[in-house]
Amino acid sequence: MRVKAGTMYSVKMIERPDIQNYLPHKGSMLLLDRIVDYGLERPFLVSEVDTTAEDLFYRSEIGGVPAWVGFEYMAQSIAALSGVSVKSRSGGEPKIGFIMSIRAFTTEVPSYPAGKTVSVSVSEIFREDSVVSFDCSVTMDNAVVTKAVVNAIEVDSVPEFLGGKA
C-alpha cells in the first residue's frame, strides 16, 4: 500500500506520465491524474483528478471546473479501464470506445473547486458483445457529488465502424 494525503492506495496505482499508456487521450486532453485501483474479474476502476486553476476546463467565475466535466472524467475512466484490461490480459492496445448515451446524470455541486482531489469510480454493470454499460460516480470530500450511467460501444476500427474500410 502507498499513502498520499492520508489516503491509502493499492499497489495498482498508475500515475502520470504512465497513465497515458492506458488511454487515447494525450496532452491537455488527458484529464486523469492517476488510477488508484481497478479490478478485472468484476470490472471496475477508480481514478483521481487534482483540480487546479490551470485545468483546461477551469472557470474563474465559478472558482473551479464545472460539474458537467465530471462526465468527461467518467468517460476517461471507462477508457482507462479498457486500457488496463487489455494490457493486463494480452499486452495489446485497447479498443476504441464511443459513448452511446448518458442516463441519470445528476450532480449536487456546480463545480469541483480548484485545490480539490476528486475520485472517479466506474464499474461495469452490463456487457453484451461490444455494448457495455457503466455505473459512474464522482466523489469529493468523501461524498458522492455526481452520478451517471454511461452506455458505450467498443469497436476494433473507427473507419470500419463508420462504414469505410479498415
Side-chain angles (χ1 to χ4, degrees):
M1 296 296 241
R2 294 173 63 179
V3 177
K4 176 190 176 244
T7 303
M8 293 181 71
Y9 294 112
S10 73
V11 294
K12 297 178 182 177
M13 187 161 66
I14 302 167
E15 298 183 86
R16 286 181 181 254
D18 295 333
I19 193 172
Q20 70 185 350
N21 298 325
Y22 298 87
L23 292 131
H25 308 81
K26 306 292 183 237
S28 63
M29 279 310 297
L30 175 57
L31 304 181
L32 305 181
D33 287 301
R34 70 195 66 81
I35 296 168
V36 296
D37 199 7
Y38 61 87
L40 302 179
E41 187 174 322
R42 297 180 70 175
F44 79 92
L45 182 132
V46 180
S47 64
E48 288 184 338
V49 177
D50 300 324
T51 59
T52 70
E54 288 76 39
D55 283 358
L56 176 63
F57 294 103
Y58 177 83
R59 298 292 174 259
S60 59
E61 63 273 13
I62 59 173
V65 175
W68 59 262
V69 176
F71 165 70
E72 182 60 25
Y73 297 160
M74 294 171 186
Q76 288 194 18
S77 296
I78 290 168
L81 177 56
S82 176
V84 165
S85 178
V86 169
K87 288 192 180 289
S88 296
R89 292 187 171 141
S90 68
E93 292 300 314
K95 291 185 176 186
I96 303 296
F98 291 101
I99 302 300
M100 295 186 339
S101 68
I102 307 157
R103 297 185 300 115
F105 183 91
T106 61
T107 188
E108 304 295 321
V109 296
S111 66
Y112 310 120
K116 294 284 185 180
T117 296
V118 296
S119 177
V120 185
S121 298
V122 298
S123 57
E124 187 178 299
I125 53 178
F126 171 83
R127 176 178 289 275
E128 185 172 322
D129 298 323
S130 62
V131 176
V132 62
S133 185
F134 297 90
D135 187 29
C136 306
S137 64
V138 177
T139 301
M140 183 172 64
D141 296 331
N142 296 315
V144 173
V145 294
T146 307
K147 298 189 296 186
V149 174
V150 177
N151 300 304
I153 187 168
E154 295 177 332
V155 299
D156 293 319
S157 163
V158 174
E160 188 176 302
F161 176 71
L162 297 176
K165 297 188 187 225

